[in-house]
Amino acid sequence: MSRLGYDGIVAALPVTIPYERYSTHAAHWWLGRALGALIRQSGVAKTDVDGLCVSSFTLAPDTAVGLVQHLGMSPRWLDHIPMGGASGVAALRRAARAVQAGDANIVACIAGDTNHVDSFRNTVSQFSRFAQDAVYPYGAGGPNASFALLTANYMRTTGATREDFGKLCVAQRDNALRYPHALMKKPLSLQQYLDARVITDPIHLFDCVMPCAGADAFLVMREDQARALNLPYARIRATIERHNAWIDDPIQKRGGWTMDVDELYGQANATPADMDFLQAYDDYPVINLMQMEDLGFCEKGAAPEFIRKHTFTVDGSFPFNTNGGQLSVGQAGAAGGYLGLIEALRQLTGTAGGTQVADARIGLVSGFGMINYDRGLCTAAAILARSDA
């Protein structure tokens, strides 16, 4: 059975609350700042925002329900999406369907987290029961050990080298130097990447995201509302989502995108070659290569050669993570799952500033989240288009 499209439903007003390495503010403060920016910049009253979608790791013990009291809201539609790097696309999908069904008129999708000094250690130590059982007893708590396992397996089976990963990281840093909210402000050379200290072999320093505090947000509404408010917007051409895919694989070598990618391009009436950019969730380089393959930009196992053929910079071939991605911007907790979507909206509304890809008309956003020892469980993707495309 074919799914309904998203005709007449749009995403608008990408907002970023500038990231900080550490913050004494709670997640509530960051999320409230994001909502406030949406309200001020859109010109709508807070009472007119009747839907709310929230993603945050450090909001506990509150959930989205508790947050609405802090924010002084009374929405008639509410969702809490704890899907990490897949949260942005998942929020977009759910909010769009809520507006389409008439359950809400305007939905604010907000994601944000704080980062106190040394708080990240506590977060990763309690990330999941799988992580606690399989990794933490060995003194390697957190995602580094898991992604080292995935990276080593990928390198062994495809012939990928650290130079391949490094080329992508260097290109993303070049893009980040054009993005005002990036926390990494210095150029990165391939030699610096290769010489960086080992974290968990084969993971080195610049393969890892830097935890930080921050928030990102956007609005979902009907197209006629966006026009009436004079808000630039992007059309939602297609989305997919999949969880716990390929459970028989002994270690993750493909993501859930592969189960639905034909439907993604079919609903959008597009092909990988039509994409003007790719914004992929990038907590570690290996997952970037996996997404390039699984989303059809090259054959399975061919991403290393694909990397050798392209530049990945804003003004080069195959613009990729045009704001620098998390590897150079920082990972503001669950907001990391919004970073690529926010950048895609800026690209398609002509508001990307220094990272703008010339004549960007259509692009793909991919999300990946919730790593549990040897695999990530959540995958999602969306194809968005300029309002006139």
Side-chain angles (χ1 to χ4, degrees):
M1 182 179 70
S2 61
R3 293 187 296 115
L4 290 175
Y6 297 94
D7 291 346
I9 310 299
V10 301
L13 197 59
V15 161
T16 297
I17 305 304
Y19 291 7
E20 297 177 6
R21 182 68 177 92
Y22 298 107
S23 173
T24 58
H25 295 294
H28 307 65
W29 184 90
W30 289 95
L31 293 163
R33 290 285 299 274
L35 177 66
L38 288 176
I39 290 170
R40 288 190 302 273
Q41 295 180 35
S42 66
V44 303
K46 185 166 69 171
T47 52
D48 291 333
V49 179
D50 57 353
L52 185 67
C53 192
V54 181
S55 295
S56 178
F57 292 129
T58 56
L59 186 59
D62 279 330
T63 64
V65 176
L67 182 65
V68 296
Q69 187 174 25
H70 287 275
L71 298 178
M73 297 180 71
S74 184
R76 61 192 182 113
W77 183 89
L78 180 65
D79 203 358
H80 186 183
I81 301 181
M83 297 182 190
S87 294
V89 174
L92 175 73
R93 301 182 85 231
R94 286 152 176 69
R97 293 305 188 197
V99 173
Q100 193 174 47
D103 291 336
N105 288 319
I106 299 177
V107 178
C109 298
I110 60 176
D113 274 296
T114 191
N115 186 41
H116 304 312
V117 174
D118 205 40
S119 65
F120 185 70
R121 188 192 307 273
N122 183 61
T123 299
V124 298
S125 71
Q126 303 180 50
F127 192 71
S128 75
R129 178 57 63 183
F130 275 99
Q132 288 178 327
D133 290 348
V135 178
Y136 202 67
Y138 298 96
N144 288 334
S146 292
F147 276 97
L149 180 68
L150 294 178
T151 300
N153 182 70
Y154 187 87
M155 295 174 76
R156 185 168 53 249
T157 57
T158 68
T161 65
R162 289 200 62 231
E163 285 81 0
D164 296 326
F165 297 136
K167 181 178 179 180
L168 210 53
C169 291
V170 169
Q172 290 191 207
R173 181 63 61 85
D174 182 80
N175 291 340
L177 297 178
R178 312 166 189 234
Y179 181 65
H181 300 306
L183 291 181
M184 303 297 189
K185 303 294 187 182
K186 296 180 180 180
L188 176 67
S189 70
L190 181 59
Q191 195 59 50
Q192 286 174 315
Y193 169 88
L194 294 172
D195 291 342
R197 62 185 174 91
V198 175
I199 302 300
T200 308
D201 190 47
I203 298 292
H204 290 235
L205 181 63
F206 294 115
D207 294 309
C208 306
V209 291
M210 183 177 74
C212 62
D216 291 284
F218 60 94
L219 294 175
V220 175
M221 63 185 70
R222 297 189 310 275
E223 185 172 6
D224 60 347
Q225 287 176 305
R227 287 179 174 173
L229 292 166
N230 198 30
L231 294 177
Y233 60 86
R235 300 183 191 276
I236 307 168
R237 293 275 288 269
T239 70
I240 56 172
E241 179 181 332
R242 180 71 65 163
H243 304 281
N244 198 30
W246 307 117
I247 59 177
D248 292 332
D249 287 354
I251 184 174
Q252 187 168 43
K253 58 183 179 181
R254 50 185 169 169
W257 308 282
T258 55
M259 302 181 76
D260 307 290
V261 67
D262 291 341
E263 181 182 359
L264 177 72
Y265 289 116
Q267 188 179 59
N269 192 26
T271 69
D274 295 321
M275 300 300 112
D276 294 314
F277 57 79
L278 170 62
Q279 314 290 351
Y281 188 79
D282 67 322
D283 47 0
Y284 295 81
V286 67
I287 195 59
N288 286 336
L289 278 69
M290 190 182 296
Q291 287 169 97
M292 289 173 185
E293 295 169 353
D294 290 358
L295 291 166
F297 294 100
C298 60
E299 295 297 321
K300 196 63 184 171
E305 184 61 29
F306 186 76
I307 286 175
R308 295 161 199 165
K309 292 180 179 178
H310 292 284
T311 66
F312 304 101
T313 55
V314 169
D315 52 3
S317 63
F318 201 81
F320 176 77
N321 285 350
T322 51
N323 59 4
Q326 294 178 97
L327 288 171
S328 282
V329 176
Q331 184 185 63
Y338 274 51
L339 187 65
L341 182 53
I342 293 296
E343 175 67 6
L345 292 176
R346 290 191 173 116
Q347 291 290 339
L348 298 170
T349 56
T351 59
T355 69
Q356 186 70 53
V357 174
D359 197 33
R361 295 177 56 82
I362 185 170
L364 195 153
V365 183
S366 180
F368 175 82
M370 310 314 290
I371 184 77
N372 272 357
Y373 182 47
D374 61 352
R375 67 200 61 228
L377 298 185
C378 306
T379 55
I383 293 177
L384 305 175
R386 212 165 65 183
S387 60
D388 60 351

